Amino acid sequence: KALIKKLPSNIADLEYNVADHLAGPLQDKERYPDGWADVFLDFRQWQLVGENHIGIVEYQKRYGGKAGMSANIVLPSISIGRVGDRNSGRRGLPLITQEVIVSNPEDARRIARLHVKKQPNFTPLFYNSIISTTDNPEWQQ
């Protein structure tokens, strides 16, 4: 946990932090008194056994309120992008960030129509391929 806390963060000084406005374990200070690091390590247990989807459902049931499994939730994440040319640059340093899991059908339709940019978590492995592009204009071509 101490190592995680030393990573650079892109959420530390946000003017608008989505985790303050959407459901999810990051708002549960009683269960996760150390905040981001505690939630990350809790969710990491699901990731290590390839059951991210089950962990997400558990969080949606616990924190999604009336929306349940249609609730959009926020989870902690560590992103590793590329430095330099996105097709051949070296891996960047890990960065503390957040991931919004969009499960509300109307929100998902609206976002998919307006914003096709992918999450950069695949770029270290797949560079700028069809599965991992973070370049909207290139994707739209």
Side-chain angles (χ1 to χ4, degrees):
K1 190 185 320 189
L3 179 63
I4 291 171
K5 289 182 171 186
K6 291 182 181 180
L7 293 175
S9 170
N10 74 350
I11 59 173
D13 299 316
L14 290 176
E15 207 172 295
Y16 180 91
N17 186 341
V18 70
D20 295 337
H21 304 277
L22 288 181
L26 290 167
Q27 292 188 3
D28 190 344
K29 305 303 182 206
E30 188 174 312
R31 184 180 294 246
Y32 304 106
D34 228 358
W36 194 97
D38 282 346
V39 178
F40 178 80
L41 292 172
D42 185 54
F43 186 59
R44 186 78 180 131
Q45 297 306 306
W46 294 101
Q47 292 174 317
L48 290 173
V49 293
E51 295 181 344
N52 310 30
H53 58 292
I54 295 172
I56 290 168
V57 167
E58 291 300 317
Y59 291 137
Q60 287 175 309
K61 287 178 183 176
R62 187 177 300 145
Y63 302 108
K66 292 178 185 175
M69 290 177 42
S70 291
N72 300 329
I73 63 170
V74 181
L75 295 175
S77 180
I78 293 179
S79 177
I80 302 174
R82 291 208 164 266
V83 176
D85 182 274
R86 68 179 180 265
N87 289 314
S88 61
R90 63 180 169 76
R91 285 185 185 190
L93 294 173
L95 177 69
I96 289 175
T97 190
Q98 297 170 147
E99 186 173 344
V100 176
I101 308 298
V102 179
S103 297
N104 178 283
E106 287 140 28
D107 290 343
R109 275 191 290 277
R110 181 177 44 81
I111 291 168
R113 188 175 60 250
L114 300 174
H115 185 76
V116 296
K117 185 175 181 177
K118 308 253 188 334
Q119 190 170 314
N121 61 323
F122 290 116
T123 56
L125 296 171
F126 299 113
Y127 299 94
N128 194 39
S129 68
I130 193 166
I131 197 171
S132 65
T133 187
T134 57
D135 184 334
N136 272 345
E138 185 176 306
W139 172 255
Q140 289 170 339
Q141 288 177 343

